[in-house]
Amino acid sequence: MKLKCISCSREYPIDEMIYYCKSCNDLLEVVYDTSEFEKKASSSDWRRLPLSVWRYHPFLPFKDGATRIALNEGGTGLHKCERLAAFLGLKTIHIKNEGENPTGSFKDRGMTVGVSKALELGVSWVICASTGNTSASLAAYAARAGLKRIVLIPSGKVAYGKLAQAMMCGAQVVQVKGNFDEALEMVMDLAERYKDVYLLNSVNPFRLEGQKTLAFEVCEQLGHVPDWIVVPVGNAGNISAIWKGLQESKSLGYISKLPRMVGVQAAGAAPIAEAFEKGSSEIKFIEKPETIATAIRIGAPQSWKKALKAIHESNGLATKVTDEEILSAQGSMAKLEGIFVEPASATPVAAAKNLIRNGTIKKDDEVVCVATGHGLKDPDVITKFFEKPIEVEADIKALEHILGLS
Ligand code: AN7
């Protein structure tokens, strides 16, 4: 097990505190030998453990007996949605509801691994820049680990539920007068300068190791591999992590085929979708990203190269959806299935709708949409864009009248 640069393949020891390659400055990933996995898997009872991130411990970068900082992450529902499928014109669709994680988003999968790693490395501080969910998750897991915690967020652009979580869990919350991309630059600088500070954005390869477990889970829950996995894309870590998990599953012989990956961005923050549409292998960052889906209001996605690779290797695609399409999909998921997600997490259903209409996704295709975060995270968007409740006098006649009963 070691760290390896995704561009020049230079290798580093697994316990080196490093985020970028010293030769070419590109991102790193954790690589294993399949034989290493097989040895760890065969000497453990992992298949008897409940569905969760740590069920997959033989495939995570820890030695046996390492301390785990956990709050019961992973093992989220894969919900078959018949009413939504009929509405979209599909035979079946499944929603992987990551809002069921302890802090309400998929970030917990990565953070349980990342914060456990921080403890192993012996740092005092953990830090991230965030559009909200990463900060909420980092604050919770760092509290659980007893580590000091700092989060930088774009001023005024983080949904209130997320900000409340980070504050309550004792993070020092710093609002930056700039966007997420600028806040990320700042924490990367800080992590360079202070060796006692561990950076837990998704440039940290251990975060993605936790997040790859979603792929293992979906295939186990479904009993086979879906045709499509549709994922919201912001900084592009999650789609890269899911693809890594799928490839590892396949190399272990747990699955025999791979799904096609769809990365979905909001129209005002879609550098990866735009690169894909142009057939370009380079991306052009967006200076002023804008969307109501504040979680993915990101113009300079760090893991863009990993994400484009996942999309191309899987014969998938990247696409974008408008804010109107996002709100409409968010409403459909809640009203038809009772699955209340935040705007960013509705982008896969919005994209699936378009891809079914233009014939890319066929009626009989099996589709899994990853709903990355809970709807309670962002109550403002509901009061702002959805219908308000009616009010009546405290009188039965008035109630009957309003309900159309008299
Ligand atoms: C609900 O919290 O970047 O493509 O700082 O909160 O892996 O970045 C959040 C991202 C999708 C995009 N859905 O995932 C942060 C942050 C939700 C999110 C994404 C985010 P990546």
Side-chain angles (χ1 to χ4, degrees):
M1 166 166 61
K2 49 198 175 250
L3 295 168
K4 188 172 173 182
C5 171
I6 62 164
S7 277
C8 74
S9 300
R10 181 168 169 188
E11 291 179 357
Y12 301 87
I14 195 76
D15 50 8
E16 186 163 340
M17 212 170 99
I18 181 174
Y19 314 99
Y20 292 94
C21 178
K22 288 178 202 164
S23 300
C24 70
N25 213 32
D26 216 329
L27 292 177
L28 306 173
E29 63 181 355
V30 181
V31 292
Y32 312 77
D33 294 329
T34 304
S35 63
E36 198 175 353
F37 275 160
E38 280 163 351
K39 202 166 128 223
K40 276 171 87 183
S42 63
S43 68
S44 105
D45 57 352
W46 71 274
R47 282 189 189 279
R48 258 184 271 155
L49 299 174
L51 224 52
S52 72
V53 167
W54 292 101
R55 170 181 169 88
Y56 303 103
H57 67 89
F59 317 112
L60 294 174
F62 294 96
K63 296 192 185 79
D64 286 344
T67 303
R68 296 175 188 171
I69 302 301
L71 289 163
N72 192 24
E73 46 293 311
T76 58
L78 181 72
H79 305 287
K80 186 172 183 182
C81 295
E82 289 177 356
R83 227 171 272 109
L84 184 63
F87 172 72
L88 295 171
L90 276 182
K91 215 150 87 184
T92 59
I93 190 166
H94 285 82
I95 305 287
K96 179 66 170 163
N97 189 13
E98 290 291 283
E100 295 169 28
N101 276 298
T103 77
S105 86
F106 73 100
K107 303 285 183 186
D108 296 341
R109 287 183 191 272
M111 215 48 86
T112 185
V113 168
V115 171
S116 298
K117 201 73 204 174
L119 214 62
E120 196 176 283
L121 290 166
V123 295
S124 312
W125 296 88
V126 287
I127 190 169
C128 71
S130 179
T131 58
N133 281 323
T134 303
S135 70
S137 187
L138 176 141
Y141 284 82
R144 187 111 173 116
L147 293 172
K148 288 181 272 188
R149 40 213 182 269
I150 309 168
V151 305
L152 268 63
I153 58 171
S155 203
K157 292 290 183 181
V158 166
Y160 201 75
K162 305 174 189 182
L163 182 58
Q165 289 178 290
M167 286 161 53
M168 277 308 288
C169 290
Q172 180 163 359
V173 179
V174 183
Q175 300 209 61
V176 175
K177 294 181 187 168
N179 60 32
F180 166 82
D181 305 301
E182 291 163 309
L184 186 60
E185 286 279 330
M186 291 168 73
V187 292
M188 291 193 310
D189 271 358
L190 214 65
E192 282 279 291
R193 282 174 211 201
Y194 301 91
K195 288 301 158 205
D196 200 23
V197 172
Y198 194 47
L199 179 62
L200 280 173
N201 279 100
S202 57
V203 296
N204 181 315
F206 295 104
R207 274 269 317 275
L208 301 193
E209 290 305 292
Q211 288 171 216
K212 79 182 180 188
T213 59
L214 182 140
F216 286 73
E217 266 182 29
V218 164
C219 298
E220 289 208 87
Q221 287 174 303
L222 209 55
H224 55 265
V225 179
D227 297 304
W228 302 89
I229 297 187
V230 191
V231 190
V233 170
N235 220 6
N238 205 30
I239 191 169
S240 311
I242 294 170
W243 181 241
K244 188 172 190 284
L246 288 162
Q247 286 182 306
E248 289 176 1
S249 258
K250 185 151 181 284
S251 75
L252 283 158
Y254 297 158
I255 56 175
S256 54
K257 66 163 203 172
L258 291 163
R260 299 171 73 178
M261 302 298 295
V262 179
V264 191
Q265 296 194 293
I272 293 178
E274 278 155 20
F276 178 83
E277 280 157 17
K278 277 195 235 133
S280 167
S281 56
E282 292 294 318
I283 84 163
K284 213 168 142 245
F285 290 161
I286 288 168
E287 212 135 296
K288 295 209 181 315
E290 213 40 89
T291 166
I292 50 148
T294 51
I296 52 173
R297 185 175 170 272
I298 294 173
Q302 295 295 304
S303 296
W304 66 270
K305 215 183 265 180
K306 289 184 181 181
L308 275 181
K309 191 160 163 273
I311 287 162
H312 287 302
E313 283 179 1
S314 73
N315 190 28
L317 61 100
T319 186
K320 56 192 177 193
V321 290
T322 64
D323 282 0
E324 290 71 30
E325 290 170 330
I326 292 172
L327 290 169
S328 160
Q330 188 186 13
S332 302
M333 291 168 77
K335 290 187 177 73
L336 297 174
E337 301 291 348
I339 298 176
F340 177 29
V341 301
E342 65 167 285
S345 307
T347 58
V349 169
K353 195 171 169 196
N354 294 341
L355 295 169
I356 293 156
R357 200 183 305 135
N358 75 19
T360 308
I361 294 180
K362 307 281 184 275
K363 184 178 189 307
D364 290 336
D365 286 355
E366 192 142 33
V367 179
V368 170
C369 289
V370 181
T372 42
H374 202 289
L376 291 172
K377 295 266 189 179
D378 193 350
D380 289 348
V381 87
I382 308 305
T383 50
K384 217 156 138 195
F385 296 105
F386 290 84
E387 213 175 302
K388 304 212 173 17
I390 45 175
E391 196 178 23
V392 292
E393 296 300 328
D395 170 65
I396 188 73
K397 289 245 151 41
L399 180 63
E400 284 175 329
H401 178 69
I402 251 169
L403 297 178
L405 298 172
S406 66

